[in-house]
Amino acid sequence: MTKSKQSETTVRRRTRSAGEELPECPPAKQQRYPGMWGQFSDGVPSSVLPRTLFAYGAYPTKLRVNIYSKSHVIGSVAAALRGMVAMDTLMASQFRGLFELPVVRCQNSTKLIGCLLSRQLVTACRHEFWFTFGPDPLRFSLDELRDVTGLNCRAFDVQDSEASESVPPTMWNKLFDTAVGKITVLSVLRMLGNKYLAVEKWLPLALIPLVDGVLCPSSKDLKLTPRYVEMLSDVENFLAYPWGRESFLTTVPRFLPPLVVAPRENPLQVTRDRLSQKTTVCYGFPLALQLFLFDALALRSRLFSQSTK
């Protein structure tokens, strides 16, 4: 009996739209933290900055950021795979950096992320998030995300960017016994807690929460992305996929004014209205922005200490 069309999963490869063009590789570190040296760009003093999204002193005060990414998932995966070959494989891959992040001491701070979003600078850079911290401007781009996480941020290959193709949900059927779309990250973590789980399932099931629960979540209940599950048919390619770039493209567009708005709408005003609400949603991995800021402040502290000696 042939499978019905409803049992097929549409595997969508990322397409390179005009709004998602990125450099072939992260830009060179001209100035990783421009504000640390009082410069916004070469030859321009930090006192000359683009305008801010909100006027000084008019920042939102009641904003609560709803962050879908759950950093505790990293620890849950590590605990489930302790002493296993699957964990050794993860530690030898691009995901090693996630397990080395200080997430135990640094959980998502919704207030801090909301504060940074409210203090963003209005620039023409579609894939750079500029904001002020004190008197200094800072930039969060693909380069900074790579430095913080150690993830692969290379350009997408042709097969990663090709048009959509419909294939049966092969890996979904192998890993789960439910219909496509009925499984969440929490369900997968429970499966990893089963010591009788088939050996060949440990690594694929460990990779899914890292992607759908930490790096690229797009739903509040952390439902699995069928496309990501089907990519596990080739684990080697999955481990080599540019998850840093995928996470960046899931995260940063939500920080910035939208590319497409309704007729007569102002993208900047749309963003102001969104950040002026009681709650707003952040997709992807905002914790990388938070860790980047802490890293920058630590560097600033060291430079200040050296200058006072």
Side-chain angles (χ1 to χ4, degrees):
M1 181 181 295
T2 59
K3 294 184 179 180
S4 65
K5 292 184 178 180
Q6 292 182 346
S7 66
E8 294 186 347
T9 301
T10 299
V11 180
R12 297 188 178 277
R13 303 293 186 184
R14 178 172 291 283
T15 57
R16 295 185 183 181
S17 63
E20 291 191 348
E21 285 295 333
L22 284 172
E24 287 300 305
C25 59
K29 295 182 184 177
Q30 299 171 353
Q31 284 182 310
R32 183 177 175 189
Y33 307 120
M36 299 297 104
W37 291 272
Q39 296 287 321
F40 175 70
S41 62
D42 292 342
V44 181
S46 59
S47 59
V48 181
L49 298 176
R51 62 190 175 114
T52 55
L53 183 65
F54 289 94
Y56 179 79
Y59 306 120
T61 58
K62 298 181 180 180
L63 176 64
R64 180 179 180 275
V65 179
N66 188 357
I67 298 176
Y68 290 163
S69 175
K70 307 301 179 186
S71 58
H72 68 80
V73 169
I74 301 172
S76 298
V77 171
L81 269 60
R82 184 177 292 113
M84 295 186 176
V85 175
M87 189 65 200
D88 294 337
T89 302
L90 288 178
M91 294 303 290
S93 73
Q94 62 174 305
F95 295 102
R96 177 189 183 94
L98 294 182
F99 295 97
E100 296 176 341
L101 292 177
V103 293
V104 174
R105 304 189 305 274
C106 181
Q107 298 295 323
N108 285 315
S109 173
T110 59
K111 288 186 177 180
L112 177 58
I113 297 297
C115 176
L116 300 182
L117 295 181
S118 300
R119 285 160 175 75
Q120 65 179 281
L121 299 172
V122 179
T123 74
C125 303
R126 290 307 312 166
H127 295 290
E128 294 181 359
F129 175 64
W130 286 90
F131 61 97
T132 57
F133 193 86
D136 295 319
L138 289 173
R139 180 196 71 181
F140 181 74
S141 68
L142 188 65
D143 198 20
E144 283 70 43
L145 182 138
R146 180 195 58 188
D147 291 340
V148 168
T149 65
L151 291 168
N152 187 340
C153 294
R154 65 167 174 80
F156 293 114
D157 290 334
V158 175
Q159 58 266 32
D160 299 328
S161 305
E162 64 189 5
S164 303
E165 55 178 306
S166 295
V167 298
T170 306
M171 284 305 299
W172 192 285
N173 292 336
K174 285 184 178 180
L175 295 173
F176 313 116
D177 57 359
T178 63
V180 173
K182 299 294 184 180
I183 297 291
T184 66
V185 168
L186 180 59
S187 304
V188 175
L189 292 177
R190 288 172 180 163
M191 293 176 66
L192 288 173
N194 178 9
K195 63 180 180 179
Y196 300 108
L197 187 68
V199 175
E200 65 273 12
K201 289 187 177 182
W202 282 105
L203 183 56
L205 289 179
L207 288 167
I208 293 173
L210 295 179
V211 173
D212 268 323
V214 181
L215 298 177
C216 307
S218 57
S219 64
K220 183 177 181 179
D221 51 2
L222 299 182
K223 289 184 179 180
L224 303 192
T225 304
R227 177 171 73 92
Y228 296 158
V229 174
E230 293 310 309
M231 289 171 63
L232 287 166
S233 60
D234 189 333
V235 173
E236 184 176 348
N237 282 340
F238 190 100
L239 291 172
Y241 187 80
W243 288 111
R245 185 172 290 250
E246 184 88 6
S247 179
F248 184 83
L249 290 174
T250 306
T251 306
V252 171
R254 185 65 179 178
F255 293 170
L256 303 172
L259 284 174
V260 180
V261 295
R264 298 183 180 180
E265 280 191 334
N266 184 329
L268 297 182
Q269 190 57 46
V270 170
T271 306
R272 293 189 191 101
D273 292 342
R274 176 166 57 82
L275 296 179
S276 297
Q277 299 172 353
K278 290 185 177 180
T279 61
T280 189
V281 172
C282 278
Y283 307 126
F285 191 43
L287 182 61
L289 171 62
Q290 182 177 322
L291 294 175
F292 155 71
L293 176 62
F294 292 164
D295 194 9
L297 294 179
L299 175 61
R300 179 178 184 176
S301 177
R302 290 196 298 271
L303 292 175
F304 179 77
S305 298
Q306 293 174 4
S307 65
T308 56
K309 289 182 179 179

